[in-house]
Amino acid sequence: MTSLRQRLLRPLRRLPHGPVIRLSPPEILLLGFVLLSCVGTLLLLLPIAARESLAWHQAFFTATSAMTVTGLTVVDTASFTLFGQLVILSLIQLGGIGFMIFAALTLILLGMRLPLRQQSVIQENLNYTSYRDLLHLVRLVVAFALVAEVIGTGLLALAWVPRYGLAEGLWVSFFHAVSAFNNAGFSTWSESLVADVANPIVNITISLLFVIGGLGFIVVAELIERRRIRRVSLHARVVLHATFWLALVGMLLFLLLEWHNPATLGGLESLPARLQAAWFHSVTPRTAGFNTLDTGSLKEPTALMTMLLMFIGAGSGSTASGIKVTTFVVMLLVARSFFRGGAQPTVFHQSLSDMTVFKAVAVALSGMLLIFTCLFVLTITEPGKDFLALAFESVSAFGTVGLSRGITAELSLAGQATIMVTMLLGRAGPISLGYFIATRQTKGLKYAKGTVHIG
């Protein structure tokens, strides 16, 4: 097997039918994230990027957070100049729509051939089952993202152009539209969207952008083509139903838990403002990262609920991360099937394959182990800090959400490095895991079945 060093030095191998990439998709993905984060770091260190000089680790953290569409910051985004914010926005766009999608599109346009194993990871990432229509899907991804961002910019401009003027109003509208669609959570204001907690245009537009971006491009494509939920695939129906119920239950619990909290909902005078804030904070943990209320003032039960939503994330093949709603639903269906004595988990009168169950278990377990490892390291590097705040930060980094209880900038250099690694693995991990599942080799030797007692 060719060593990683040799593959990095000579990433292309020329064959009679064209050049072939020697690097595996996980290697391409992680290497691409790291390299683009380094490029972003160098650009953010330029004197024209920030109003005050940045330390290298501050620039690197910001670039990594933008590239992984997380939104956690150690430096206020408002402290960057227009050039610096443009760099951040470019990283968000690259990381949100997907580095592998951009890479695949570039290679196809250059006439290079993607080996089947490289195509498999794109198929796994997008939950698409036809290699023949891969190029069409990649074009759809890019076109849909641009259209959604332009429409979002126009709607937000209705609220912000009258307030900030034409030039600044259009810029902040465009910045927040791109950040919202890509589920990044970066804002040009220090307090995110707290000033617009009662503004229906901002609340509806921003939340719709990151909800649509979090559905997954395949789900959106099916809705556009078929226009009826009953005709879409099982995957799309699961994502749509899970998204609706998670938003509804989350909103009701948020209202119940925070209604009398004077630092959050209790401090809002009107009923529409409270309902908007509850809705926004029931959907934003699904990796969006914006906030219209002070996240650090949430009660402990609400913080735990938010952590669960951050862990679940949004749809597969979307701009969001987390273990994905489909994984969460499959795990629930497996538990239900076991308690009912069923042979296989079923949903919408269809049974789920063993491989689907195995994938869900692998993704969920990997996510939990990554969060535990991150939290374990943070408890060592950040002695004396609030445990709930550290746990909240760990889950937010894994889900690339960006919500924080206000300790990100206070973390030590080792703590920030831990968060950066978690953001990278949280963003690239599910795709890499999908690659290893897709390219597994079936052994010819089978062993006798054994019994292990559970519970």
Side-chain angles (χ1 to χ4, degrees):
M1 181 178 292
T2 308
S3 67
L4 176 60
R5 181 180 177 182
Q6 291 177 329
R7 293 199 302 273
L8 289 175
L9 293 176
R10 298 184 61 185
L12 292 180
R13 181 181 180 185
R14 187 168 296 279
L15 296 177
H17 45 68
V20 175
I21 303 175
R22 304 175 71 186
L23 295 173
S24 68
E27 292 168 349
I28 296 174
L29 192 63
L30 286 174
L31 183 62
F33 277 145
V34 173
L35 288 178
L36 287 175
S37 296
C38 291
V39 172
T41 301
L42 295 177
L43 293 175
L44 292 178
L45 286 174
L46 295 175
I48 60 173
R51 295 181 176 87
E52 298 179 1
S53 60
L54 299 177
W56 69 269
H57 59 88
Q58 292 176 322
F60 190 37
F61 190 98
T62 302
T64 303
S65 182
M67 189 63 208
T68 56
V69 294
T70 303
L72 292 173
T73 57
V74 293
V75 179
D76 194 349
T77 309
S79 65
F80 289 95
T81 63
L82 179 62
F83 174 80
Q85 292 178 4
L86 187 60
V87 171
I88 293 174
L89 206 63
S90 300
L91 293 173
I92 290 173
Q93 192 76 294
L94 287 170
I97 295 181
F99 178 78
M100 281 303 299
I101 299 175
F102 273 105
L105 178 62
T106 303
L107 293 173
I108 292 172
L109 292 177
L110 292 176
M112 293 184 176
R113 186 179 70 88
L114 280 176
L116 289 180
R117 292 203 307 171
Q118 266 75 350
Q119 293 183 36
S120 296
V121 72
I122 301 173
Q123 177 196 25
E124 185 73 23
N125 183 24
L126 295 174
N127 276 330
Y128 209 58
T129 56
S130 173
Y131 292 129
R132 181 185 60 188
D133 297 329
L134 178 60
L135 180 57
H136 169 71
L137 183 63
V138 171
R139 289 172 176 167
L140 175 64
V141 166
V142 178
F144 178 78
L146 295 178
V147 170
E149 289 165 358
V150 169
I151 294 175
T153 300
L155 294 174
L156 292 174
L158 297 177
W160 289 336
V161 167
R163 187 189 308 176
Y164 300 105
L166 181 61
E168 184 179 357
L170 285 176
W171 169 245
V172 296
S173 298
F174 178 66
F175 187 97
H176 285 84
V178 174
S179 183
F181 180 81
N182 290 286
N183 281 249
F186 275 87
S187 175
T188 56
W189 299 303
S190 304
E191 297 183 348
S192 190
L193 302 177
V194 172
D196 291 285
V197 62
N199 190 321
I201 296 178
V202 174
N203 278 267
I204 294 174
T205 302
I206 293 291
S207 61
L208 283 180
L209 280 172
F210 60 65
V211 168
I212 292 174
L215 288 177
F217 299 108
I218 304 304
V219 176
V220 174
E222 288 191 42
L223 291 177
I224 293 174
E225 293 175 359
R226 303 184 184 183
R227 300 182 181 180
R228 291 182 61 183
I229 295 180
R230 291 185 178 181
R231 294 182 179 179
V232 297
S233 64
L234 176 64
H235 168 78
R237 295 179 69 183
V238 169
V239 171
L240 291 172
H241 281 80
T243 298
F244 171 78
W245 285 110
L246 284 173
L248 179 61
V249 173
M251 179 180 177
L252 294 176
L253 288 176
F254 197 93
L255 286 169
L256 179 65
L257 296 172
E258 295 294 321
W259 187 265
H260 297 292
N261 185 354
T264 56
L265 291 184
L268 302 177
E269 297 181 357
S270 65
L271 178 61
R274 292 190 179 193
L275 293 176
Q276 287 181 85
W279 155 259
F280 196 90
H281 279 264
S282 70
V283 291
T284 193
R286 307 269 308 289
T287 85
F290 290 102
N291 62 285
T292 57
L293 298 171
D294 181 15
T295 309
S297 299
L298 296 177
K299 293 181 178 180
E300 292 183 354
T302 315
L304 290 175
M305 180 193 73
T306 303
M307 289 167 62
L308 175 61
L309 293 175
M310 291 192 296
F311 177 72
I312 295 173
S316 300
S318 69
T319 57
S321 297
I323 64 170
K324 304 297 190 303
V325 292
T326 45
T327 302
F328 178 69
V329 170
V330 169
M331 298 296 289
L332 291 180
L333 294 174
V334 169
R336 185 188 69 174
S337 176
F338 172 77
F339 289 124
R340 290 183 175 181
Q344 280 186 308
T346 60
V347 58
F348 297 121
H349 306 292
Q350 296 186 52
S351 61
L352 302 178
S353 66
D354 291 340
M355 182 52 59
T356 299
V357 175
F358 292 155
K359 286 182 181 180
V361 172
V363 171
L365 182 60
S366 299
M368 288 188 289
L369 289 176
L370 179 57
I371 292 172
F372 176 84
T373 303
C374 176
L375 179 57
F376 179 77
V377 175
L378 288 180
T379 56
I380 298 174
T381 62
E382 314 301 320
K385 290 226 173 16
D386 180 59
F387 181 81
L388 178 60
L390 293 177
F392 197 93
E393 201 84 4
S394 301
V395 179
S396 182
F398 161 76
T400 66
V401 180
L403 293 176
S404 173
R405 291 178 69 84
I407 67 167
T408 311
E410 301 173 2
L411 297 176
S412 65
L413 188 58
Q416 292 180 17
T418 303
I419 292 296
M420 282 191 286
V421 172
T422 305
M423 290 189 295
L424 285 168
L425 294 179
R427 183 63 177 155
I431 302 176
S432 301
L433 183 61
Y435 165 78
F436 288 118
I437 293 174
T439 58
R440 69 193 186 283
Q441 295 181 353
T442 303
K443 295 181 179 180
L445 180 64
K446 291 186 179 181
Y447 297 96
K449 292 184 178 180
T451 300
V452 177
H453 297 287
I454 304 296

